[in-house]
Every structure is written in C-alpha cells, then in structure tokens.
Amino acid sequence: MNIIVCLEDKNGMMFNKRRLSQDVAIREDIYKNMDGKSLIMNDYSYKMFSKDEPKIDIIVREDLPVCDSENLQFIEDKQLGNFEPEIDKMIVYYWNRRYPSDLKFDIDFSNGKWEVVSEEEFEGNSHDKITKKVILKK
C-alpha cells in the first residue's frame, strides 16, 4: 500500500473528530505527483478535495486502508499501525506546528523498518513551511 498522511509535530492527525489543518498547497503537491494513479480516500476527505475540482481520478471508499499497491491512499482519520506490514510507501506532510490532537499516528519510523528517501520543504497557503517526506519500507 502507498499511503499519504498529514501530521503535526507530535504525530497528531485529528482533534475532536476534525482534521488538524488543511492547506491547498499540499493538495496541489499531491495532484502534480500522481503519475496517472488514482487517489483513494473516504468521504470525509473527499469533501476537502472536491472543492479543488482536481483533474485526477479519485475513488471514495469508507473501508480504508485497502490492499492496493498501484494507487495512493489519503488517510487522515484512521490509525495505520495494524496495517504496517502491508504498507510499502508513506508520503508524510508535516505541518511543522503543534496542534492539540486526540488521534495520533501510530507507526514509528525510527524502528529500523523505514527509510526516508527524500525530503523537501515548501511554503503553504496557511503554513510558512510544510515538510514532505517520502518514506519507504526497507
């Protein structure tokens, strides 16, 4: 599986059943790096993406994550630790801020199973700095 997540500095994903933040610059970065693949997400995430009218194929499913090694999955409201053996690639966007959160990302990238293969920073609309890391399973 190929997963995309957005995290704050303490690995928070959600607070009170809401996303911590959103920035159109992240969605634009996702769109330009799809390479003809589909983007799988749930209806909650689709409401944010649909206002962009992206020129990519979006598949809406509620049973995320799904076993799909060809496409990308945008996950913002589910823990993924139980699915770690099936995940091959993670694209992580860090907000570089601390927000309150009650749903934490539960995969430890420092456990020796993962390798950061690229890292870049860019300016967002609502964030001065967003860090994007591409992390592959070793």
Side-chain angles (χ1 to χ4, degrees):
M1 290 189 288
N2 303 304
I3 304 292
I4 302 170
V5 296
C6 297
L7 305 176
E8 56 85 52
D9 284 350
K10 292 189 170 195
N11 290 333
M13 297 175 76
M14 301 278 292
F15 179 66
N16 201 21
K17 299 182 182 177
R18 295 188 326 244
R19 68 182 54 91
L20 298 180
S21 188
Q22 57 183 321
D23 196 303
V24 69
I26 287 177
R27 297 191 308 273
E28 289 171 352
D29 187 71
I30 291 170
Y31 302 147
K32 73 179 182 182
N33 290 294
M34 290 300 299
D35 297 324
K37 297 178 182 186
S38 296
L39 183 60
I40 303 168
M41 65 184 66
N42 64 17
D43 188 58
Y44 176 74
S45 299
Y46 182 70
K47 289 175 184 166
M48 177 177 55
F49 280 78
S50 65
K51 48 187 174 178
D52 299 336
E53 298 182 16
K55 307 263 188 290
I56 63 166
D57 182 40
I58 295 179
I59 299 168
V60 178
R61 294 186 57 160
E62 295 306 316
D63 59 335
L64 298 178
V66 296
C67 285
D68 183 326
S69 60
E70 297 301 315
N71 297 302
L72 297 170
Q73 299 179 56
F74 183 81
I75 310 280
E76 61 180 331
D77 61 353
K78 299 198 182 328
Q79 290 185 318
L80 297 168
N82 290 338
F83 302 94
E84 185 174 1
E86 287 84 34
I87 299 172
D88 300 308
K89 177 180 181 179
M90 301 279 289
I91 300 171
V92 183
Y93 292 95
Y94 290 96
W95 296 118
N96 296 302
R97 291 192 185 162
R98 290 187 178 174
Y99 294 120
S101 63
D102 51 20
L103 179 67
K104 301 282 188 184
F105 184 73
D106 61 344
I107 294 177
D108 179 8
F109 292 129
S110 66
N111 65 9
K113 298 177 185 176
W114 298 94
E115 178 182 11
V116 176
V117 295
S118 71
E119 182 174 338
E120 66 178 278
E121 293 179 352
F122 58 92
E123 186 175 339
N125 282 356
S126 59
H127 295 73
D128 294 336
K129 180 177 78 168
I130 296 171
T131 304
K132 174 185 175 183
K133 292 184 181 182
V134 177
I135 305 168
L136 299 179
K137 185 177 284 176
K138 287 185 178 181

